[in-house]
Structure formats: structure tokens, C-alpha cells
Amino acid sequence: MEKKKKYLGILYIICSAFCFALMNMFVRMSGDLPSVQKSFFRNLVAFFFAFVIMKKEGILFSCQKKNVSALLLRSVFGTLGILCNFYAVDHLVLSDASMLNKMSPFFAVLFSYLILREKITVPQAVFVTGAFLGSLLVIKPTFSNMDFLPSVIGLMGGLGAGIAYTFVRKLSLGGEKGPMIVCFFSGFSCLVTLPFLILDYHAMSGIQIVTLLMAGLAAAGGQFGITAAYSYAPAREISVYDYSQIIFSAILGFFVFGQLPDLLSWIGYGVICTMAVLMFLYNQRKDGSRLVRR
């Protein structure tokens, strides 16, 4: 039974990774629109999805007073993360943008120490440092590199997502329900971006509207897929499969946009994925040792 749950968790997290890769593809396909406008439509769809689920499960749109600040901070950094990620998706090879966004688990480790006071061991610190060095191979930080600024913004998207995930953990530990967190975040993001959308609205064709709605549907699928995955199995057992998004993004980028990452990017992918696998194996071993001691 436990093995079946684990396999279901793996299946859901791979489906989630595919959905997020599709989201990035649709965001890119929507054309030359401001990142704020793309973010608004993406979060609008996710908001209604989460709201329907809350109604179905009888979850109230309210939170405990002690969790208000964490909920707001999760929403602020989550919104910044999405805006930076969408900018990177529009200006970089799709797999590069996805890889930089996948730095978020490593940033989550760092900020779990700073915010939640969860200890970082020496091996974890080494893995985080290794992943950051791998990201430099993707960014290629030289002033002659035209993709340098979008790459840095993409990395900042991973940073924002990592901080947001840290606050999601804090909220979960504080007893808040997943659909409520998603609904609040999506609604907050829509309200924050609405004034910028009104001031700098770009007229959209029917195809662009449909494409952005598809991006929102894919994002909702990704969010609820990852929530379902972690309900079947703990993160330490399945989180590494989330990196399948890079494979999906590379395939979609090649067949849809004719994109092919350069050699340094491939090496960077390898370094970051290796650090993710080592972190995954280390956490499993650490948890196993803890169970033996009990």
C-alpha cells in the first residue's frame, strides 16, 4: 500500500512538472505582452480553480491571525517569482528559464534556515553551493552576453519561489489548508498586478487570450498536481522527480520554438540535477538514520 502511494506521488509530480512546462510554453506562445499581463491571466484562472475546490471541500476563505503575515509574504514573493519567471521565459531558451526557476528548492533550504530556523548541515550547504555554481553555467555572467540580464532575472524568480515555498511550509505547519493558500495567493497576485495591467494594457488577439487561458489551466494543473503528489508521499522521496520539467521544457522548446541550449547550459543542467539527486539521497539517508535511532 505504501509503495502504491509512493508510485502515485511520483506520477502526480511528473504530471505537475509537465503542466508547468506547458505553462511556460503557452506563456512564450502568447507573444509580446508585458509579464504583468501574462501573470494576471495565469493567476485569474488559478484563483477560480482554487475557489471551486474550496467550495467543494467546504474550506472557509479565512486564516488564523498568527498566519496573516506569512500568508502575505508568501503571496508577495510568489508574485515576484512568477513575474521574474515569465520575463525569463520570454527572453531565454525555455529549458534555461525552467532550470533557473528550479533553483527554488535550494533557495528554500537556505531560507528555511533564516526564517524557520531549520538547521543546514554541511552536505546540504555543499549541495546548495554546487547548484548555485551550476546556475552560473546557465547564466554565463559576462557583459557581452545578451542573455545575462534575463538570466539574472530568471534566477531571481527561483529566489522568489524559494522564499514563497518556505512560507508555504510555515503556513502548512501553522494549520492552513493548501487550496486556501493557493486561492489567497492567486487573488492577491491578481489585485497587485491589476493597476499595472490597466495602465499598460496591450490589446490581445483571440489566439493570445486563449493561449493565456491555457497557461492558467496548465498552471492550475501544476499547482494541484504537486499538492496531490505530496499528499501521497513525503517530499524527500519524490521531490527529485520535479526536475523532469527540464526534460519536458527542452523537448517543447526544441519542437515548438526550434530552441537548442548550448553546451555550457547542458553542463549547468547536469550539475544542478546532480546536486538535486545528491540532496534527495542525503535526505533519505538522514531520515533513515533517524528512524533507526528511534
Side-chain angles (χ1 to χ4, degrees):
M1 189 64 181
E2 287 300 317
K3 191 173 285 188
K4 186 180 178 181
K5 283 186 175 182
K6 181 179 176 180
Y7 289 148
L8 277 171
I10 292 170
L11 178 63
Y12 273 116
I13 205 165
I14 291 174
C15 288
S16 169
F18 180 64
C19 284
F20 281 126
L22 279 178
M23 178 196 75
N24 285 342
M25 182 194 75
F26 285 126
V27 166
R28 178 91 180 205
M29 285 176 65
S30 64
D32 190 21
L33 296 170
S35 298
V36 167
Q37 192 162 329
K38 294 180 179 184
S39 173
F40 178 84
F41 282 93
R42 177 254 194 235
N43 285 307
L44 188 64
V45 176
F47 172 80
F48 283 112
F49 253 79
F51 186 76
V52 168
I53 288 174
M54 286 177 68
K55 283 288 186 185
K56 187 178 178 182
E57 296 183 2
I59 300 170
L60 297 176
F61 192 80
S62 62
C63 70
Q64 300 173 50
K65 189 178 287 187
K66 65 176 183 179
N67 292 330
V68 172
S69 60
L71 198 56
L72 287 170
L73 287 168
R74 182 268 180 270
S75 301
V76 169
F77 286 106
T79 300
L80 290 173
I82 286 176
L83 291 173
C84 290
N85 180 43
F86 282 8
Y87 183 87
V89 165
D90 281 338
H91 294 84
L92 296 173
V93 172
L94 202 62
S95 53
D96 278 9
S98 297
M99 189 77 258
L100 291 170
N101 192 250
K102 284 301 172 190
M103 285 294 292
S104 57
F106 298 99
F107 285 124
V109 170
L110 176 61
F111 283 95
S112 289
Y113 168 72
L114 295 174
I115 296 169
L116 303 178
R117 298 301 175 190
E118 295 180 344
K119 290 183 179 179
I120 300 178
T121 63
V122 173
Q124 287 174 328
V126 171
F127 301 147
V128 171
T129 304
F132 178 74
L133 293 175
S135 75
L136 293 180
L137 293 171
V138 180
I139 295 171
K140 293 175 276 292
T142 62
F143 290 108
S144 60
N145 178 16
M146 296 298 289
D147 291 336
F148 175 58
L149 181 60
S151 296
V152 171
I153 292 173
L155 184 63
M156 291 301 102
L159 173 68
I163 298 173
Y165 293 154
T166 304
F167 282 110
V168 168
R169 175 163 169 75
K170 186 173 183 178
L171 288 163
S172 297
L173 292 171
E176 296 299 336
K177 300 288 186 181
M180 206 289 289
I181 298 171
V182 172
C183 191
F184 185 94
F185 157 62
S186 300
F188 175 91
S189 188
C190 285
L191 288 174
V192 166
T193 53
L194 184 59
F196 299 97
L197 176 70
I198 294 170
L199 289 171
D200 189 30
Y201 179 78
H202 287 217
M204 296 186 294
S205 65
I207 293 174
Q208 284 179 312
I209 293 171
V210 170
T211 304
L212 284 180
L213 289 176
M214 291 299 291
L217 284 171
Q223 283 191 349
F224 287 104
I226 206 162
T227 301
Y230 289 136
S231 72
Y232 281 108
R236 66 179 179 275
E237 293 184 4
I238 62 172
S239 59
V240 70
Y241 295 98
D242 195 26
Y243 280 81
S244 59
Q245 183 184 334
I246 311 308
I247 299 169
F248 293 132
S249 293
I251 293 169
L252 290 171
F254 178 74
F255 284 104
V256 179
F257 305 111
Q259 299 173 340
L260 194 63
D262 61 22
L263 179 60
L264 281 178
S265 287
W266 282 114
I267 295 171
Y269 300 168
V271 171
I272 295 170
C273 289
T274 299
M275 293 301 109
V277 171
L278 290 173
M279 179 83 85
F280 167 75
L281 293 173
Y282 171 76
N283 287 336
Q284 276 204 321
R285 185 178 176 185
K286 189 178 174 185
D287 290 338
S289 300
R290 203 175 289 156
L291 285 172
V292 169
R293 282 198 297 270
R294 285 179 186 174

